[in-house]
Amino acid sequence: MKLYTFDIAPNPRRIALLMKVKGIDIETEQIPLDGTQFGAEYTAINPRSTVPALLLDDGTVLTEVIGQAVYLDALYPEPPLFGSNDLERAQVISWCHR
């Protein structure tokens, strides 16, 4: 798994915080938002040219922060950041979309 990110941008900081709280260590590569994200090398990974992008071991790329967060929370369940029951999960996801 590899995370393409840009540490100072807001959405990448959300995933970085989740990873820090959970103690997740994933290989990362910085993609500066200076036009680098539009280059052929990065658009081959993420045609949307956005960061962060999470490349899974099977080649799947998750380009939305909420999807990345839900995936990582399921893969690394402790501590559960999306709640412990269905109502808590629904509330947390609702807060994420506000």
Side-chain angles (χ1 to χ4, degrees), residues 39-56:
E41 186 176 335
Y42 186 63
T43 57
I45 296 161
N46 180 8
R48 296 190 61 230
S49 302
T50 57
V51 292
L54 183 62
L55 175 63
L56 306 183

Side-chain angles (χ1 to χ4, degrees), residues 58-85:
D58 70 357
T60 301
V61 179
L62 300 175
T63 60
E64 300 301 322
V65 170
I66 190 67
Q68 296 165 9
V70 168
Y71 179 79
L72 290 173
D73 196 53
L75 198 58
Y76 302 92
E78 294 301 324
L81 297 183
F82 283 86
S84 301
N85 60 49

Side-chain angles (χ1 to χ4, degrees), residues 39-40 70 77 86 89-90:
V70 168
D86 293 337
R89 276 188 287 284

Side-chain angles (χ1 to χ4, degrees), residues 23-35:
I24 300 170
D25 185 28
I26 296 173
E27 177 186 359
T28 63
E29 182 177 329
Q30 295 295 307
I31 304 296
L33 301 180
D34 60 1

